[in-house]
Amino acid sequence: MYDMDDQDQERHNYGAAALSIGAVVILVAALLLFLGAGRPGTRNSFMKRATGEVGNEVHAPVEETGTGQEGRGDGTVRADAAPDAAGTPPEGSSDGQAAGESGVAPSGLPAGTPEQGQNGGQTSAAVQSGTAPRDEAVQVKSISLTGDRTFMLQCEQMQLSAKIEPANAVNPFLTWTSSNGAVATVTQSGLVTSVGGGDAVITATAPNGVSVDYPLSVSSTQKWMRLSIRTARTESSRIGDEWAYSFEINGQDVTGEETLVVTLGETMSFYSAATEYLDNHDLGTVDGYYTVNKDGFTNGFEVTQEFEIDEKGKGADGGWAEVTVIFTFSNAI
């Protein structure tokens, strides 16, 4: 067995001490390395934060100069990326989306609001203006009017019919007007009424401005007038009451329920008769005339006839009756 001398023993002791010191150094270094790995601001931690790992919950890095958040590599910006002060989308949004795909709108608004935009985040002009996009409406292209005459007497009516092209126009409602209300008027259904003599133009206009004219003329000297007849009789006690009346105007039988054409300046003839029903009947008649003047033509007129009847029946001689007949003409409309 080898026995170490004093020199060997000294070297052995130095080696063991060196190993012990090295072990302590290694242990201390390892401890420092372990503690340093968890401290903020180290190189490893900074590198991890600066590179921005890809993941749903990882934010894009922010420049310290305050220029705004950078976009993600897929061309979209996360939901928490708000527009800049000018109202433009953040940089990095290559497809025009104003918010991320998470369904959360900027400023905490619900997804799908006009501020976020719909259909993938894109805000259309229709959404911004509050109106929905639509195809161009079918407009009225032309209008035609049909009537049964272009010349009218005063105080008569005529219905105009309108045809609109195309038939599927979305707003086919017409506005009706007359160029001269003193000659003719028109309702909003196209019913024309002649009022006075002269010329007028009836116009039908569509909402988009397309219009059509219907010219007409109205007589200055002829008009339709309504006739009514009433009678009154004053008599003694010695005359019968079984009487019949008949009337004629211009040689034509009338009953007092007609509408007649009256001409300004015309001289009209009137005939009235009262007849008793008995075989030996009594008869009273009267003829008369009336010339239509301007005032009567404009405002209407009356023609009054009076005549007497003497009783000729047996046992009733001396009886009598006075009869009054009134013809009244008024404007038909």
Side-chain angles (χ1 to χ4, degrees), residues 236-274:
S236 69
S237 61
R238 298 178 62 82
I239 193 168
D241 55 5
E242 297 177 349
W243 294 86
Y245 296 92
S246 59
F247 313 100
E248 295 179 9
I249 295 178
N250 294 336
Q252 301 295 319
D253 292 336
V254 292
T255 64
E257 297 179 352
E258 293 86 1
T259 301
L260 306 174
V261 175
V262 175
T263 302
L264 177 63
E266 173 190 13
T267 297
M268 304 173 67
S269 64
F270 295 84
Y271 171 82
S272 300

Side-chain angles (χ1 to χ4, degrees), residues 154 220-223 262 264 292-299:
Q154 294 182 36
S220 298
T221 59
Q222 287 188 306
K223 72 187 325 181
V262 175
L264 177 63
V292 181
N293 57 35
K294 184 175 182 180
D295 181 68
F297 181 81
T298 302
N299 302 310

Side-chain angles (χ1 to χ4, degrees), residues 83 96-101 103-106 109-128:
Q97 292 178 327
E101 299 172 350
V104 179
L109 294 174
T113 60
E115 287 80 2
Q116 177 193 0
Q118 301 179 6
N119 299 327
Q122 296 179 350
T123 303
S124 66
V127 174
Q128 293 175 346

Side-chain angles (χ1 to χ4, degrees), residues 120-143:
Q122 296 179 350
T123 303
S124 66
V127 174
Q128 293 175 346
S129 65
T131 58
R134 56 173 294 179
D135 295 335
E136 183 179 357
V138 179
Q139 298 293 327
V140 175
K141 300 299 183 183
S142 65
I143 309 169

Side-chain angles (χ1 to χ4, degrees), residues 24-274:
V24 171
V25 171
I26 292 173
L27 180 61
V28 171
L31 180 60
L32 291 176
L33 182 63
F34 174 76
L35 294 176
R39 293 175 57 191
T42 64
R43 184 175 185 276
N44 290 338
S45 176
F46 176 79
M47 291 299 293
K48 179 178 180 180
R49 289 161 56 87
T51 55
E53 295 180 15
V54 177
N56 291 333
E57 297 299 325
V58 178
H59 291 258
V62 179
E63 294 290 338
E64 294 181 356
T65 58
T67 57
Q69 296 177 332
E70 298 294 330
R72 284 164 48 183
D74 58 359
T76 62
V77 181
R78 284 181 51 85
D80 53 1
D84 60 21
T88 57
E91 295 182 2
S93 177
S94 62
D95 59 358
Q97 292 178 327
E101 299 172 350
S102 65
V104 179
S107 306
L109 294 174
T113 60
E115 287 80 2
Q116 177 193 0
Q118 301 179 6
N119 299 327
Q122 296 179 350
T123 303
S124 66
V127 174
Q128 293 175 346
S129 65
T131 58
R134 56 173 294 179
D135 295 335
E136 183 179 357
V138 179
Q139 298 293 327
V140 175
K141 300 299 183 183
S142 65
I143 309 169
S144 59
L145 297 180
T146 302
D148 57 14
R149 56 198 180 279
T150 57
F151 179 81
M152 303 175 69
L153 304 184
Q154 294 182 36
C155 294
E156 66 175 333
Q157 293 183 320
M158 172 181 63
Q159 179 66 56
L160 294 179
S161 299
K163 182 179 180 181
I164 294 174
E165 294 291 347
N168 63 337
V170 296
N171 197 354
F173 304 105
L174 301 178
T175 299
W176 298 80
T177 57
S178 171
S179 65
N180 191 342
V183 173
T185 62
V186 62
T187 68
Q188 291 309 302
S189 62
L191 181 63
V192 178
T193 300
S194 55
V195 178
D199 298 322
V201 177
I202 304 301
T203 303
T205 305
N208 64 344
V210 174
S211 64
V212 62
D213 293 337
Y214 190 96
L216 58 86
S217 298
V218 177
S219 173
S220 298
T221 59
Q222 287 188 306
K223 72 187 325 181
W224 287 94
M225 303 192 81
R226 183 174 290 111
L227 170 67
S228 64
I229 302 173
R230 64 184 189 273
T231 62
R233 188 176 69 203
T234 302
E235 60 186 34
S236 69
S237 61
R238 298 178 62 82
I239 193 168
D241 55 5
E242 297 177 349
W243 294 86
Y245 296 92
S246 59
F247 313 100
E248 295 179 9
I249 295 178
N250 294 336
Q252 301 295 319
D253 292 336
V254 292
T255 64
E257 297 179 352
E258 293 86 1
T259 301
L260 306 174
V261 175
V262 175
T263 302
L264 177 63
E266 173 190 13
T267 297
M268 304 173 67
S269 64
F270 295 84
Y271 171 82
S272 300

